[in-house]
């Protein structure tokens, strides 16, 4: 069985959708950020504060490769930046994975992130206006990498259950 990889911008729902997809399919779910936190014994915020983003990106790449190498069946929720560094986007094309880009509009992302930014060091200190501009530009820069996914699911105006259903159709 192929590993199922969910990717997309911060707040698109990777962690939430992966968890719900896991409940329905009984395929175990791994969140790459959680694996990194466990390995470093630090929160994502603490890793950024104490070691910086470059250290985080190296660890993120190492853990992603490790997860792909394991023989277990898994649903893997990536971090928003994972496909955009260390040529990780090339791993989305592998034959032994099904990669799905959860595509969200700037407005959807903004509305989900505006009250959920404290654990996301890239936006934690931004005011609302700065955040909207940042998301717009950043999403544009990152789309090139996200578009390497094998499949794309639009998540705007969909419930968690509807997005999970869309992914199940891809897997069928
Ligand atoms: N329809 C939806 N699908 C996914 N997440 C949703 C939806 N509606 C609201 N949310 C909320 O948006 C946030 C998405 O965050 P999360 O799953 O951590 O995304 P990511 O891992 O992509 O950053 C969560 O707080 C979740 O409860
Ligand atoms: O977009 C990014 O660069 C990041 C997204 C985060 O994951 P989520 O997308 O799950 O919030 C986390 O990996 C880290 O804060 C960096
Ligand atoms: Mg997440």
């Amino acid at each position: 069985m192929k590993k199922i990889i969910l990717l997309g911008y911060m707040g698109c729902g990777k962690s939430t959708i992966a968890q719900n997809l896991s409940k329905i399919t009984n395929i175990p779910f791994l969140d790459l950020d959680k694996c990194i936190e466990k390995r470093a014994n630090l929160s994502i915020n603490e890793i950024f504060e104490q070691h910086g983003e470059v250290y985080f990106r190296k660890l993120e790449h190492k853990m992603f490769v490790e997860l792909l190498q394991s023989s277990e069946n898994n649903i893997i929720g990536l971090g928003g930046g994972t496909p955009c560094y260390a040529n990780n986007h090339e791993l989305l094309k592998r034959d032994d994975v099904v990669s799905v880009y959860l595509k969200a509009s700037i407005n959807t992302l903004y509305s989900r992130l505006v009250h959920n930014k404290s654990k996301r060091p890239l936006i934690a200190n931004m005011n609302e206006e700065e955040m909207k501009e940042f998301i717009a530009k950043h999403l544009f820069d990152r789309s090139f990498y996200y578009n390497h996914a094998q499949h794309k699911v639009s998540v705007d105006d969909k419930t968690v259950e509807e997005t999970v259903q869309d992914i199940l159709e891809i897997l069928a």
Side-chain angles (χ1 to χ4, degrees):
M1 191 189 210
K2 297 185 182 192
K3 287 183 197 297
I4 301 158
I5 300 179
L6 303 186
L7 62 129
Y9 199 79
M10 288 180 276
C12 72
K14 301 174 294 292
S15 304
T16 306
I17 300 296
Q19 227 165 331
N20 281 271
L21 184 64
S22 168
K23 272 189 214 148
I24 290 190
T25 56
N26 278 326
I27 303 170
F29 143 68
L30 289 170
D31 194 79
L32 183 58
D33 279 336
K34 292 272 173 294
C35 297
I36 294 169
E37 288 180 329
K38 215 166 151 187
R39 177 66 60 91
N41 203 20
L42 293 169
S43 69
I44 299 294
N45 274 338
E46 286 168 339
I47 299 174
F48 271 71
E49 271 165 29
Q50 295 178 24
H51 298 286
E53 184 173 353
V54 174
Y55 176 91
F56 173 78
R57 296 302 173 193
K58 284 186 184 159
L59 190 52
E60 181 179 48
H61 173 68
K62 191 165 171 261
M63 294 298 300
F64 185 29
V65 171
E66 264 184 45
L67 293 190
L68 289 180
Q69 276 167 351
S70 91
S71 56
E72 289 163 31
N73 288 334
N74 286 130
I75 298 165
I76 305 173
L78 299 185
T82 314
C84 316
Y85 295 88
N87 288 329
N88 290 334
H89 65 289
E90 288 173 3
L91 303 173
L92 304 174
K93 294 274 185 206
R94 283 164 56 138
D95 287 339
D96 57 349
V97 310
V98 180
S99 53
V100 183
Y101 170 25
L102 303 183
K103 189 171 184 202
S105 67
I106 298 163
N107 284 340
T108 299
L109 296 169
Y110 176 77
S111 66
R112 289 195 195 160
L113 290 171
V114 71
H115 302 299
N116 281 297
K117 57 178 186 174
S118 64
K119 290 186 182 158
R120 294 180 166 95
L122 296 180
I123 53 172
N125 298 319
M126 287 183 190
N127 65 36
E128 296 184 7
E129 204 176 317
E130 285 169 334
M131 216 170 111
K132 194 145 199 181
E133 208 178 305
F134 178 81
I135 293 171
K137 186 182 172 300
H138 207 207
L139 179 63
F140 180 80
D141 290 343
R142 286 183 163 187
S143 295
F144 167 81
Y145 299 97
Y146 296 155
N147 283 321
H148 281 74
Q150 295 162 4
H151 304 275
K152 207 180 294 182
V153 165
S154 170
V155 302
D156 294 328
D157 303 318
K158 286 190 189 147
T159 62
V160 172
E161 291 72 26
E162 285 170 331
T163 300
V164 167
Q165 199 53 46
D166 286 351
I167 298 172
L168 289 173
E169 279 168 27
I170 288 170
L171 300 176

